[in-house]
Amino acid sequence: DLKTAAQTPPPPTDNQGDNAALARQHYNELKEVSLAKRHESKIFNLRGFNNYVKSLTMNDFLARLGPLGKRGATILDLGCGKGGDLRKWGLAKPAHVVCVDIADVSIEQCRNRYRERPTELTYKANFIVADCTRVDLDDKYVEENIPDVEFDLVSCQFVLHYGFESQGQAKRMIKNAVSHLKPGCFFFGTIPNSNYLVKKYLSLSEGSRFGSDVYYVDFLEANRTSFPVFGAKYVFYLDGAVKELPEFLIHFPLLKSMMEDEGCECVLAEPFTDYIYRTDPSTGERTLKDVEVLSRTRGLNDQGTLPESEWEVVACYMVFGFRKLTDEERE
Ligand code: SAM
């Protein structure tokens, strides 16, 4: 029973804090790369693809907000990194974006990027360094003089899985995501697709690692017969982007149950490989969503396809979205 599992205290771990420190150090040390250098990267197309999917999710949830999605929204970017999404948010003309990340150097780079584009990024912004799995962001909002901030959207792109090391950390991260979210509004993002990762691992005839020439996933410490609910660790490597970082499986029904405990309903859960398509209800024909965004995306052809070794990485991810219920709906 997942609800019971979610309420059972996690076993103590002897490496508390080490993995967060590893993530902080890794992302802090990651160099900002020029466009010319990015062209040389083995994952040039994949980076473009991930940006395309992020834009799709942002546009999807901005649209769900109605007129506010076209101007004036307040947004939390949880695990914003170096600010790769600042310009994407700019297109939605929000009123205010709060950027939070564990990596102080990344936050500094994010702040600088924002300052360098005053005419394009006209929204108000705050930049906060915090381990979202351990710190109560309420305290940070007080320090930033935004104690009563209320979000229309909370975006969490490629980050939530770092929080599933323990029950306490996952709960803290989820509370940080939804506690200042307005009722009727949305928490969404991108995460590894645990079902796919586990299926790939279990289909290995030997060893604990699968991948292509651009990535690998290694379930080095895993046990083939069962996975813990929290702290189900694997190591992820992605050429030129992630060098062997520990990540943790998010069993989606568990996330759903934890979100329900916080008064949120699931409105989206789909692998990347399905989410990018729109199906015509009368003909059943599948076409790529938002070709306009696609055409602005570097590295992809107009079919939205990637070389096989990069497409394998795409298959490892899924999109998610939750809506916070209103008080009346919760009664
Ligand atoms: N969201 C950004 C994007 O899509 O470009 C960055 C994604 S990057 C794969 C993961 C980010 O999560 C890094 O910037 C890292 O510092 C951040 N992160 C990892 N653990 C975190 C934690 N406990 N609290 C806050 N941020 C965290």
Side-chain angles (χ1 to χ4, degrees), residues 3 25 38 42 46 57 77 80 99 119 133 158 165 171 190 194 200-201 206 209 230 238 245 254 283 291 320:
K3 271 217 150 134
Q25 188 187 351
R38 265 185 263 155
K42 275 196 206 167
L46 179 66
T57 62
D77 192 333
C80 60
C99 297
T119 46
T133 72
F158 300 103
E165 181 174 5
K171 268 195 166 177
T190 44
S194 291
K200 286 283 276 188
Y201 167 58
E206 57 175 3
R209 179 183 290 195
F230 297 97
L238 182 62
L245 262 194
L254 170 67
T283 63
V291 183
F320 71 88

Side-chain angles (χ1 to χ4, degrees), residues 20 23-24 27 54 77-82 84-85 100-103 106 130-134 156-159 161-163 169 173 242:
R24 179 189 301 112
Y27 285 105
K54 286 199 286 179
D77 192 333
L78 209 58
C80 60
K82 299 175 191 311
D85 293 341
V100 186
D101 200 283
I102 193 173
S106 299
D131 178 347
C132 298
T133 72
R134 293 206 169 82
C156 190
Q157 304 286 354
F158 300 103
V159 183
H161 45 295
Y162 293 111
Q169 285 176 273
M173 200 152 188
V242 184

